[in-house]
Amino acid sequence: MGENDSSGASGGTLNLTLDRLTLEAAAELYGLQVVETQVMVGGEPVKGQGLRYTGMEQSAPVGVAFIRMNQEDGVRKHEVVLYRRATFSMPAESAQTMGESIEWKTPEISGSVMGMEGDGTTPWYETMVFPTQAAAIAYVECVFGILAEKLTAVVGQGAAGYAQVEVAV
């Protein structure tokens, strides 16, 4: 007879496919800085922005929440899925040479979710269901504070409906 203690939460891995990941959001997630550059094209200066990776960057733990829309018995509901602390690794890069048409790629990021910490009284994962999207967003803002409103990383439309990913540091 084997023993199993499943009472403690161990965290896990969170994989997200995004519509886009802005330079500013990537900089926040991976501990980078957005850098400015300039090149000359036809005698005219053209400015650009980017990120430079040295391998010495430290990703800080961030809070992650997304809202997925569900429908039950003809009634739409907005479910908040919230992880209080996750650390993300650099996304895998993929691209394809343009052929007859453009094949767009969506970034995928993977994070390690921290499980139970301390005495275990603060939830590390939670879900809450609301009748409106506005109420669901308000809940995320209550949990993560005013930073959630300012650091929206991604807004997109997925197969399950509207999703918003918040990054709070």
Side-chain angles (χ1 to χ4, degrees):
M1 178 176 185
E3 290 186 28
N4 183 13
D5 181 7
S6 60
S7 61
S10 61
T13 302
L14 179 62
N15 296 309
L16 301 172
T17 301
L18 310 172
D19 284 350
R20 63 186 169 89
L21 183 60
T22 65
L23 290 176
E24 292 79 12
E28 289 284 337
L29 280 177
Y30 307 122
L32 305 170
Q33 291 185 6
V34 177
V35 294
E36 306 283 332
T37 190
Q38 180 173 301
V39 296
M40 299 299 285
V41 178
E44 299 291 322
V46 178
K47 292 183 179 182
Q49 291 184 314
L51 301 171
R52 291 193 175 124
Y53 306 93
T54 66
M56 301 299 291
E57 295 80 15
Q58 295 277 329
S59 295
V62 296
V64 177
F66 57 91
I67 299 166
R68 62 180 163 211
M69 189 168 44
N70 298 312
Q71 187 165 324
E72 186 176 321
D73 298 327
V75 177
R76 286 189 177 175
K77 296 178 181 179
H78 303 268
E79 179 184 13
V80 173
V81 178
L82 187 139
Y83 299 90
R84 290 194 184 264
R85 289 173 42 102
T87 304
F88 287 87
S89 58
M90 297 292 294
E93 294 287 336
S94 67
Q96 187 171 355
T97 304
M98 190 171 98
E100 297 281 326
S101 62
I102 296 174
E103 185 177 320
W104 300 103
K105 300 288 183 182
T106 55
E108 294 181 9
I109 60 174
S110 180
S112 296
V113 175
M114 282 73 159
M116 185 174 70
E117 298 182 63
D119 64 4
T121 58
T122 302
W124 62 274
Y125 164 82
E126 59 185 86
T127 62
M128 296 289 170
V129 180
F130 296 92
T132 66
Q133 178 180 317
I137 291 171
Y139 181 76
V140 171
E141 290 173 354
C142 284
V143 172
F144 286 142
I146 196 70
L147 286 176
E149 185 177 317
K150 294 180 180 177
L151 296 177
T152 301
V154 180
V155 177
Q157 179 72 30
Y162 179 88
Q164 181 167 341
V165 177
E166 304 286 347
V167 179
V169 291

